[in-house]
Amino acid sequence: MLTFCTAHRDAVTKANVVHRDVSSGNILILPKVVHNKKTGRPCFAWKGLLADWELSKPIHEAEPLLRPRQPPRTGTWQFLSVGMLTQNPKTVEIPDELESYLHVLLYFSVRYLESNCKDPAAFIESYFDSY
């Protein structure tokens, strides 16, 4: 998750854009073989890539007419922030995208990690698909 947040920070601070579609399908997790510093043995290090930037949009534009004409509410609705799911759509802001990362982290955790959740599929459906 750190690599996704770093990519997001760099996009905001260096390119002046927000992604607008943070979701489980737009985060790619890639293995990379590295060598353990203590033992010298090869092992996997997982890196993330934030993909699908076609819905991204500039932030803090002086001229609003220069912005692309896209609806304010875009993205995968299961991972949108509460603020984006309200009746009055608003411009995507950094806190909205950070909340989307939280939803993605929860989704990946429940789906792929061992836990005491008795029925992960039911939890995922209840949390992500019952809005």
Side-chain angles (χ1 to χ4, degrees):
M1 291 300 291
L2 178 62
T3 53
F4 315 131
C5 291
T6 302
H8 183 265
R9 181 201 63 211
D10 290 347
V12 169
T13 59
K14 295 178 181 177
N16 204 30
V17 297
V18 289
H19 188 275
R20 298 183 50 193
D21 189 16
V22 174
S23 68
S24 63
N26 291 339
I27 292 178
L28 308 175
I29 301 174
L30 310 166
K32 180 179 180 182
V33 176
V34 295
H35 289 84
N36 185 306
K37 292 179 182 178
K38 292 181 181 177
T39 65
R41 296 182 60 190
C43 60
F44 284 118
W46 298 92
K47 295 288 183 179
L49 176 69
L50 186 56
D52 293 338
W53 287 84
E54 67 271 1
L55 294 177
S56 67
K57 195 171 186 179
I59 54 175
H60 310 302
E61 284 292 326
E63 285 289 326
L65 296 176
L66 296 177
R67 290 182 171 185
R69 292 180 182 242
Q70 296 174 342
R73 186 183 302 166
T74 59
T76 307
W77 73 269
Q78 288 93 339
F79 300 100
L80 290 178
S81 69
V82 171
M84 295 303 297
L85 291 172
T86 61
Q87 296 295 341
N88 301 320
K90 65 182 192 86
T91 303
V92 176
E93 297 173 343
I94 294 169
D96 297 307
E97 298 217 317
L98 294 176
E99 185 178 333
S100 293
Y101 281 112
L102 175 68
H103 296 305
V104 170
L105 177 62
L106 178 64
Y107 175 80
F108 282 147
S109 298
V110 171
R111 182 159 183 199
Y112 296 111
L113 297 178
E114 287 186 39
S115 73
N116 61 355
C117 181
K118 302 245 186 260
D119 190 353
F123 174 83
I124 288 172
E125 182 177 351
S126 156
Y127 185 89
F128 291 98
D129 295 326
S130 65
Y131 175 73

